[in-house]
Amino acid sequence: MLRSLRLPIVSSYSPNKSSNPPSFSSSQNPPLYLKFKTSHRENLRYLRAIGVIDPSTKPHKLPSPEVVSQILSTIDFFKSKGLIDGDFSRLAYLCPQFFSINFDPSEIEPVFDFLITDLHASVEERRGLIIGCPQMLSSNVEYCLKPTLDYLTKLGVKKLNVPSTLNARLLNTRVERLRETLRFLGSIGLNRREAAEFCARMPAIFGYNIEHHLKIKFEFLAVEMERSLEELKEFPQYFGFSLGKRIAPRHWHLKQRNVRIKLNKMLLWSDNRFYTKWK
C-alpha cells in the first residue's frame, strides 16, 4: 500500500485524450476528493510512524502535499541505498535538511560512491556507517572522506568498513584533527612508528579531546601513578577508561594496600573481581 502512497498526487483524474473537456458529475466529485484527502492523510501517518514528522506537530504546521511528495521521494532514494524505515527517525533528527523541499538526493550520491568504490563496504555496512554518523553524508568526498581514509589506512587502522559508530565518526574526521592526536603522542615520547601503532590498536583515541582528556589522563599516569611510557604503550586502552570513575579510585585503592599491578589488570577487571581480589 505504501508504494502507492509515495506517488506525488498532482490531480484526482486523468486527462481525457479527446478534445472534449472531462466530465465532472456530482456523483464523481466526492469520491475523487476523498481519495486525495485520504492519500495525503495516510502519507502523513506514515511519516509520523517512521519518525520523519514529529507526532506532536500541530495540524497547521504539517507539510503540504508537495513537500510530502518530495520527502517520500527522498525516502525512496535512501531505501534504494539500503536504509530501512527504522533508520529514518535518527536520520531526520540529526540531519533534518535531508527532508526539506530544497534537498536534492544527487548531492549526496558521491558519498555512496565513496563507500562502495573506496571503502568497499557492503549494503549493510554502508547502512550501518551512515546511521552511525549521518553527518557523513554532508561531507566532501575529495577534501574530507578520501584523505581521511588514506591517512588512517597508512597508520594501520584496519576494517574501517565495519559498521560501527567509531568507524563512521573516524571517516568523517578531518586529517588535520587526526594529526593533532599524533602530535600529542609525539609530545609524550612516542616516535612516529610507535604513535601509528598506538593509534592502530586504539583508534578511539582520535575521538578524545587532547586538552581535557588525553593530557589530564597522561599526567595522572606519569605523576600520580608513577607509571612509565612503556606501560602505556603496552596498554593504549588506558585512555578509554574514566579517570574519575575507574582509574583514580582503583589506583588509590591499590596504593592504600601497597599493591602495584599491570594496567590492564587494574582497569579491565570487573568491579566485583577487582575489589574481591584486593579487599
Side-chain angles (χ1 to χ4, degrees), residues 191-233:
N191 60 38
R192 170 73 183 184
R193 179 185 58 79
E194 290 172 335
E197 291 176 353
F198 196 98
C199 293
R201 292 177 58 197
M202 177 66 176
I205 193 173
F206 289 115
Y208 301 142
N209 181 278
I210 293 174
E211 293 296 326
H212 302 112
H213 192 116
L214 299 181
K215 280 188 177 180
I216 292 174
K217 285 185 179 179
F218 178 73
E219 289 172 1
F220 188 86
L221 177 85
V223 179
E224 184 56 49
M225 297 174 67
E226 299 179 331
R227 300 276 185 160
S228 69
L229 186 61
E230 290 302 316
E231 289 183 272
L232 180 62
K233 288 192 287 186

Side-chain angles (χ1 to χ4, degrees), residues 26-228:
S26 59
S27 61
Q28 288 177 321
N29 281 342
L32 294 173
Y33 174 77
L34 289 174
K35 180 180 179 182
F36 171 83
K37 296 295 287 185
T38 301
S39 179
H40 182 56
R41 226 176 4 248
E42 289 296 327
N43 288 337
L44 291 173
R45 186 178 297 118
Y46 168 68
L47 294 177
R48 284 193 185 99
I50 64 174
V52 172
I53 294 179
D54 187 336
S56 63
T57 301
K58 301 296 183 183
H60 67 281
K61 291 187 177 181
L62 289 171
S64 67
E66 179 188 10
V67 175
V68 167
S69 177
Q70 171 66 24
I71 293 174
L72 292 174
S73 295
T74 298
I75 288 173
D76 279 342
F77 168 81
F78 280 122
K79 285 189 173 183
S80 74
K81 302 299 184 181
L83 274 68
I84 61 175
D85 281 351
D87 299 330
F88 293 115
S89 176
R90 176 174 171 79
L91 199 61
Y93 177 74
L94 294 176
C95 299
Q97 69 272 19
F98 295 153
F99 302 94
S100 71
I101 189 67
N102 298 319
F103 174 66
D104 181 358
S106 67
E107 295 173 3
I108 62 175
E109 190 76 59
V111 177
F112 286 99
D113 292 339
F114 162 80
L115 295 173
I116 296 169
T117 305
D118 298 272
L119 195 62
H120 307 294
S122 67
V123 173
E124 276 303 306
E125 288 168 345
R126 297 195 296 269
R127 172 181 168 251
L129 290 168
I130 289 167
I131 297 308
C133 183
Q135 296 87 343
M136 178 193 301
L137 292 171
S138 298
S139 291
N140 185 286
V141 171
E142 298 301 324
Y143 292 99
C144 180
L145 298 180
K146 282 187 178 182
T148 295
L149 175 61
D150 183 60
Y151 188 80
L152 291 170
T153 301
K154 288 178 179 178
L155 286 178
V157 180
K158 301 182 184 299
K159 298 182 179 179
L160 286 165
N161 61 307
V162 173
S164 66
T165 300
L166 171 61
N167 280 345
R169 289 178 177 172
L170 276 179
L171 289 167
N172 199 44
T173 302
R174 296 273 181 172
V175 169
E176 182 51 38
R177 174 64 185 84
L178 302 176
R179 286 180 178 145
E180 290 175 3
T181 300
L182 268 291
R183 285 195 287 269
F184 163 75
L185 293 175
S187 72
I188 65 175
L190 275 68
N191 60 38
R192 170 73 183 184
R193 179 185 58 79
E194 290 172 335
E197 291 176 353
F198 196 98
C199 293
R201 292 177 58 197
M202 177 66 176
I205 193 173
F206 289 115
Y208 301 142
N209 181 278
I210 293 174
E211 293 296 326
H212 302 112
H213 192 116
L214 299 181
K215 280 188 177 180
I216 292 174
K217 285 185 179 179
F218 178 73
E219 289 172 1
F220 188 86
L221 177 85
V223 179
E224 184 56 49
M225 297 174 67
E226 299 179 331
R227 300 276 185 160
S228 69

Side-chain angles (χ1 to χ4, degrees), residues 220 224-225 238 241-256 266-267 274-275:
F220 188 86
E224 184 56 49
M225 297 174 67
Y238 164 81
F241 291 93
S242 168
L243 180 61
K245 296 180 180 179
R246 191 90 158 193
I247 299 172
R250 292 194 178 189
H251 164 68
W252 293 119
H253 185 83
L254 292 174
K255 190 171 184 178
Q256 289 170 359
M266 172 182 154
L267 297 173
F274 177 84
Y275 289 107

